[in-house]
Amino acid sequence: MIERLARWVDRRVGGSEFAEKKLTKIFPESWTFLFGEVALYCFVILVMTGTFLAVFYESSLVDTTYEGSYAPLRGVEMTAAYHSVIQLSFDVRAGLFFRQMHHWAALVFVAAIVVHLSRVFFTGAFRRPRELNWAIGVTLLLISLIEGFAGYSLLDDLLSGTGLRIAHAVMESIPLIGTWTTSLIFGGPFPGEYIMSRLFTGHVFLLPALLAGLIGVHLALVFRQTHTQFPGPGRTQRNVVGARLWPTYTAMSFGMFALTTAVLAALGGLVQINPVWYYGPYEPFIVSTGAQPDWYMGWLEGALRIFPAWEFTGWGFMLANPFFPAVLLPTLTFVVLYFYPALERTLTRDWGYHHILDRPRDRPIRTAFGAAGLSFYVVLHIAGAQDIIATQLNVSIVSTMYTLRAAALVVPILVALITYRWCRDLAGSSQRPARAGAEAEAAQPAPRPAPAYGHGASPAEEE
Amino acid sequence: MSAESKDGRDQRVATVAATIAFVVGIGGGIAFAIVYSVGAETGWYTQALGGSLAVATAAIGIGSVIWAHKLMPHGPEEEERPFPGGNPDERAKMLATYDDSLEEIGRRRLLGRLLFAAVGVTGLASLFPIRSLGPSPFPERARTAWNRGVRLVTEEGHPVPVDELDVNGILTVFPEGHIHDADAQTVLLRVPSDIFEPLDGREDWSVDGYVAYSKVCTHNGCPVGLYQVETQQLFCPCHQSAFDVLQGAKPTFGPATRPLPQLPLAVDGQGYLIARGDYDVPVGPGFWTWPSAARQETG
Ligand code: FES
C-alpha cells in the first residue's frame, strides 16, 4: 500500500530522496524541549474545539430575551452573542465541555509559549543562526495574547464587557491615531455597533490563519536549521545527536499530543472555568467587583492599577494615563524581546554560530537579566489582584498599592543580584568536575569574543 | 549475559504495559461515545465527557510514550548540521543572475517607474475604504446625550422626582430617551446639605443636596458605582480609583487623574430633576484629542 503510494507520488512529484532524509532526521532529546511542542498541541486542540464552538456562536449585539433552560436567566434581556453562549453551555450537547476545554487550552497555550520562550532565552538557543526563529516566536506570543483577549471578549458577559471597555480606553490613548482608530474598530462610540462581529472575524479567521502560517514557518526553520542540543559526550557544534524522526521521535510526539489532550479534556470536563451564566450579560453601567482577566492579561491589569496618576496635556493633545502602562509598557516589552539577540550579540561581541546550548549558570548576566525581567512581570501580575490582596490580608488598599509600586522597582534589582551571585557560585562549584570529564570540550561556553567557527563569522560580513 | 536478559525482561514488561494502555484507550473511546449519546440528562454530563476523553487520550499517550521510549531505537544517532550554512559560490551566482535581470529591466526605465507609480497610487486608493469601518469620533466623543432641560430617568426609564432619594442615597440615571447609554450614564447622589459646599462657579449645579457626576471612570471607563457614605467617596472597582464627592469628584486615590465631570441639575415645573446642559468636558478616559474635544464642548 505504502509502496504503491510512494511510487505514485515519486513518479509525479519526486522527492523520495528528500523524504528519506527527513525520515532519518535526528532530534536531540531533552524534557526542556517539550514546552514548544505542548504549545503546538494546544493550538491543534484550540482549532478543533474552536471550530465546534464557532458553529453555534452568534457575533451580534442585537438585544434578545433569554427563554432557554437555565432558569435564573429566563426573561433577562441580553445580546444575541451572550445568548448564544448560554445556549451553547446549557442546550447544546457537549457544548459546555468543549467551551471549557477551549478556554483551558487557551490558557495552557499561552503558558506553554511563555515557558518555551524562557527556555530558549535562558539556554541561549536564540543565538545565531536562530535569530529569525526567535523573532517569529515572539510574534507568535504577541498574536496569541491578542487572540486570547479577542476570544475572551466574544462572550459579552459582564467580565468580558468590562475588559472590552478597558481595551477601548487603552486604544483611545494611543498617540496620533488613537481616537480615530478606536472609533473605526468599534464602529462608533462605545460599545459600538460592530465590535462583536469584528472580534469574531479576527478571532476565528484572521489571527488563527496568521498563527498557523507562522507556526508552519517556525517548525520549518527548526527542521532546516536542525535543533540545538545540550553539551554532552560526543555532541559538538557540527552534529546533532539523538533519535530518528521516524519512528521514535514521531511516536514520542504523538504520545505527548495525546497526553496534552488528556490533560485539557480532564480540565475541560472537571474544572469549571468562566461560568458566564453567573456573571450575567454585560451592561456598561453595572459594577463588577473582584473581576479578573485571563492570566496572561494580568500583568497589564496590574500595570494599569499601580502606575501613578500621570497624564500630560499640551499643544492640544493628551497623553492619557492608560498610554503608559498599557501601550508603552507592552511596546517596550516586545521591543526588548525582538531585539534581545541583537543586543546580546553587540554587547558580547559574539557573532559565532551556536548549536550547543548554554547552561544558565554559565551566562550569569543573561540569566540575571532574564530572571529580573520575569520577576517584574510577576509583580505586575500580583498587582492585578491588589484589591483581592488588600481584602484577604485585611490591609488598606493604599498601603497595598504603595508596597506593590515599590516592589515593581525593587524586586527585579534584588532578583538580578541574587541570580547573578547564585550563577557564579554554581558555575564555580562545577568547574572542576567538568574539566575532568570527556565532555569538557563540548561543555565549554564559547569564549568571548568568540572566534566563531566556519566562515561569515566576523561582524564585517554580517548581513 | 545477565544484562541482556534484563533488557529482554524490560522489553516484555514495556510491551505488556503498552498493550494494556491501548486496550484502555479503546475502552475510553467507547465510553466517550456512550456518555455523549446517553448521558445528556445526568447531572455529571460534562464531567463524564471530560473524564472519559481524558482516560482514552491519556492511555493512548502513555502507551505511545512507552512504545517510543522503551521499544523503539534510540541511537543515539548522529546527523551533520548544515550550518554554518550558505554557500558563498551559489550566493554569488544568484546575485549575478539578479544583476543581469536588473540590466534587462533598466533598459525600460520609464515603464518601470510608471508601473511603480500606478501600483502605488492604486494601493493607496485601496486603503480609503478603511474609512467605512466606522463613523467619525466627533462630535460623539466630545459630548453626550445630555442637554438643557432633559429629564433624568432611572434604569427603568422613570423620571426622578425631587424626593426620590434619601440623604446619602445613590441612583444611576440616564438622559430621557437614552436609557443604558454607555457614555451618558450618571450617578445621582444626595449628600447631606450641611457638609456639602459646591465648588466655585457650580453653586447652582446642585438641587437640595443632589449632585450628579458622570459614572464613567476617567481612568479606563468602568462604572464608578461604589459609594462610601462615611468618607463621601465614589470608588471604581476596576483599578481602585477613588473620587471625593464633596470636592467635585476630584480623584483622591488610584490611577485616575481627572475628576468625574459634573452634570448641572435643576428641577422642572412638575418637580422632576432635569439637566441644565451637557457635561462641560468629555466624559470618561482621556484620549489623544481630548483637549480639542474639550474646547469643542465649551465653545
Ligand atoms: S477604570 Fe476606574 S480606576 Fe481604572
Side-chain angles (χ1 to χ4, degrees):
Chain A
M1 231 281 279
I2 294 286
E3 196 190 320
R4 284 238 298 281
L5 183 69
R7 191 169 59 225
W8 195 94
V9 173
D10 197 32
R11 285 197 175 149
R12 283 155 186 85
V13 189
S16 288
E17 190 194 338
F18 176 80
E20 197 275 336
K21 275 218 191 90
K22 293 306 138 187
L23 285 177
T24 57
K25 195 170 177 56
I26 304 301
F27 276 91
E29 294 175 290
S30 161
W31 62 270
T32 60
F33 298 160
L34 198 68
F35 306 113
E37 274 186 60
V38 170
L40 173 68
Y41 305 144
C42 285
F43 182 73
V44 175
I45 301 284
L46 282 166
V47 171
M48 296 199 295
T49 50
T51 305
F52 181 90
L53 303 182
V55 174
F56 299 98
Y57 176 75
E58 200 172 323
S59 62
S60 153
L61 289 177
V62 170
D63 274 323
T64 51
T65 310
Y66 182 73
E67 297 297 348
S69 61
Y70 182 64
L73 282 178
R74 243 173 249 156
V76 173
E77 287 262 320
M78 53 181 68
T79 59
Y82 182 74
H83 189 274
S84 69
V85 174
I86 300 296
Q87 285 289 118
L88 171 73
S89 303
F90 289 104
D91 296 304
V92 173
R93 270 196 180 205
L96 178 61
F97 171 57
F98 284 128
R99 222 199 88 213
Q100 295 196 139
M101 194 169 165
H102 190 75
H103 200 139
W104 276 114
L107 300 186
V108 177
F109 177 57
V110 185
I113 292 179
V114 171
V115 178
H116 173 60
L117 182 134
S118 307
R119 197 282 292 169
V120 168
F121 179 87
F122 287 112
T123 58
F126 55 82
R127 292 171 300 173
R128 194 177 188 198
R130 297 182 181 78
E131 306 97 318
L132 177 62
N133 227 13
W134 167 265
I136 293 173
V138 172
T139 310
L140 282 169
L141 172 64
L142 178 62
I143 299 175
S144 305
L145 293 178
I146 303 171
E147 171 73 347
F149 182 79
Y152 179 80
S153 300
L154 284 176
L155 281 68
D156 203 32
D157 59 294
L158 188 53
L159 291 193
S160 75
T162 307
L164 208 49
R165 182 67 189 90
I166 295 171
H168 184 275
V170 169
M171 221 185 269
E172 267 196 330
S173 76
I174 299 172
L176 292 174
I177 57 170
T179 322
W180 264 96
T181 310
T182 314
S183 183
L184 290 181
I185 290 180
F186 278 76
F190 187 81
E193 269 183 67
Y194 300 113
I195 187 61
M196 279 306 152
S197 54
R198 284 172 192 176
L199 281 172
F200 186 61
T201 311
H203 182 76
V204 306
F205 172 68
L206 206 57
L207 297 173
L210 270 176
L211 284 174
L214 285 173
I215 289 172
V217 179
H218 201 65
L219 295 177
L221 276 175
V222 172
F223 250 75
R224 168 74 188 139
Q225 300 184 322
T226 63
H227 206 289
T228 51
Q229 59 193 357
F230 281 103
R235 301 180 187 178
T236 71
Q237 290 275 24
R238 291 172 192 279
N239 70 0
V240 198
V241 178
R244 284 189 179 185
L245 174 65
W246 182 265
T248 312
Y249 190 81
T250 308
M252 203 69 176
S253 294
F254 177 74
M256 287 303 159
F257 175 49
L259 287 174
T260 309
T261 313
V263 171
L264 295 177
L267 286 169
L270 306 175
V271 188
Q272 184 180 68
I273 187 158
N274 208 20
V276 285
W277 51 92
Y278 291 141
Y279 308 152
Y282 176 61
E283 289 287 0
F285 56 92
I286 291 181
V287 178
S288 54
T289 47
Q292 297 285 299
D294 274 346
W295 79 267
Y296 48 83
M297 284 286 150
W299 59 293
L300 289 174
E301 171 81 4
L304 278 169
R305 288 179 187 214
I306 64 172
F307 192 80
W310 295 344
E311 202 156 81
F312 301 100
T313 313
W315 299 285
F317 298 107
M318 174 187 273
L319 271 181
N321 181 276
F323 167 73
F324 303 98
V327 179
L328 192 59
L329 172 73
T331 306
L332 287 178
T333 303
F334 276 92
V335 166
V336 169
L337 281 175
Y338 274 118
F339 287 99
Y340 185 80
L343 182 77
E344 188 182 295
R345 225 165 38 215
T346 314
L347 291 181
T348 58
R349 313 191 52 72
D350 177 355
W351 280 276
Y353 283 89
H354 292 280
H355 298 297
I356 299 285
L357 294 171
D358 288 327
R359 287 182 313 172
R361 68 183 71 165
D362 294 328
R363 292 273 183 254
I365 297 185
R366 180 205 293 147
T367 306
F369 176 72
L374 283 181
S375 71
F376 175 65
Y377 295 103
V378 169
V379 172
L380 289 185
H381 191 93
I382 295 171
Q386 69 170 359
D387 53 335
I388 296 171
I389 294 171
T391 40
Q392 290 290 319
L393 301 183
N394 211 0
V395 284
S396 82
I397 191 82
V398 182
S399 47
T400 311
M401 191 190 74
Y402 286 114
T403 312
L404 285 164
R405 265 187 200 170
L409 297 177
V410 176
V411 167
I413 298 175
L414 286 180
V415 167
L417 292 175
I418 294 169
T419 313
Y420 184 80
R421 262 246 68 99
W422 200 24
C423 289
R424 275 292 150 102
D425 292 350
L426 281 174
S429 67
S430 64
Q431 281 277 294
R432 247 159 281 133
R435 212 173 279 148
E439 72 252 39
E441 188 215 8
Q444 251 170 27
R448 280 175 264 177
Y453 78 107
H455 63 271
S458 69
E461 230 189 281
E462 196 65 4
E463 277 117 46
Chain B
M1 180 63 198
S2 73
E4 250 172 42
S5 67
K6 187 176 172 292
D7 268 7
R9 211 178 52 235
D10 271 7
Q11 292 211 348
R12 265 202 315 281
V13 172
T15 313
V16 171
T19 309
I20 295 173
F22 291 143
V23 171
V24 172
I26 295 171
I30 294 172
F32 181 79
I34 294 174
V35 168
Y36 175 83
S37 312
V38 301
E41 300 310 316
T42 67
W44 294 88
Y45 187 49
T46 302
Q47 288 84 343
L49 281 173
S52 53
L53 187 58
V55 167
T57 47
I60 294 170
I62 290 167
S64 306
V65 169
I66 292 174
W67 191 358
H69 199 68
K70 299 277 183 204
L71 303 172
M72 284 182 183
H74 270 265
E77 295 193 59
E78 219 181 309
E79 183 192 332
E80 286 233 339
R81 290 188 194 270
F83 283 86
N87 181 330
D89 298 337
E90 275 174 23
R91 191 163 61 217
K93 217 168 101 194
M94 188 263 288
L95 288 175
T97 312
Y98 175 69
D99 285 345
D100 289 351
S101 71
L102 274 194
E103 225 165 78
E104 174 61 31
I105 295 171
R107 264 184 272 150
R108 311 254 186 288
R109 192 156 287 163
L110 179 66
L111 271 189
R113 285 186 183 155
L114 280 176
L115 174 63
F116 194 77
V119 171
V121 168
T122 312
L124 276 181
S126 67
L127 291 179
F128 276 46
I130 287 179
R131 181 61 187 79
S132 331
L133 280 175
S136 158
F138 303 108
E140 278 83 0
R141 201 55 188 85
R143 48 166 295 114
T144 69
W146 289 107
N147 246 324
R148 187 175 189 81
V150 170
R151 269 189 184 163
L152 279 57
V153 297
T154 64
E155 254 174 68
E156 288 83 35
H158 308 309
V160 183
V162 223
D163 55 0
E164 171 90 13
L165 283 185
D166 294 332
V167 169
N168 291 330
I170 178 172
L171 186 69
T172 299
V173 292
F174 300 90
E176 190 160 33
H178 295 269
I179 317 179
H180 301 188
D181 185 293
D183 281 341
Q185 55 174 309
T186 296
V187 276
L188 180 68
L189 306 162
R190 191 163 193 188
V191 278
S193 336
D194 50 324
I195 57 169
F196 181 66
E197 259 186 64
L199 296 189
D200 287 348
R202 296 188 183 177
E203 289 84 359
D204 54 354
W205 285 22
S206 41
V207 178
D208 256 355
Y210 281 103
V211 274
Y213 296 112
S214 164
K215 195 176 176 178
V216 190
C217 184
T218 55
H219 178 230
N220 273 186
C222 289
V224 184
L226 309 176
Y227 180 32
Q228 196 178 60
V229 170
E230 306 89 72
T231 56
Q232 292 294 334
Q233 308 258 332
L234 280 168
F235 286 101
C236 178
C238 279
H239 313 104
Q240 290 78 48
S241 286
F243 302 88
D244 189 338
V245 170
L246 298 181
Q247 297 184 58
K250 167 184 119 191
T252 55
F253 179 75
T257 53
R258 279 164 290 108
L260 301 169
Q262 186 177 347
L263 187 73
L265 297 178
V267 182
D268 70 3
Q270 284 126 306
Y272 292 111
L273 287 170
I274 55 168
R276 299 166 59 106
D278 197 358
Y279 292 107
D280 60 350
V281 286
V283 296
F287 49 99
W288 179 245
T289 47
W290 192 93
S292 50
R295 268 201 305 280
Q296 204 168 324
E297 177 54 25
T298 48

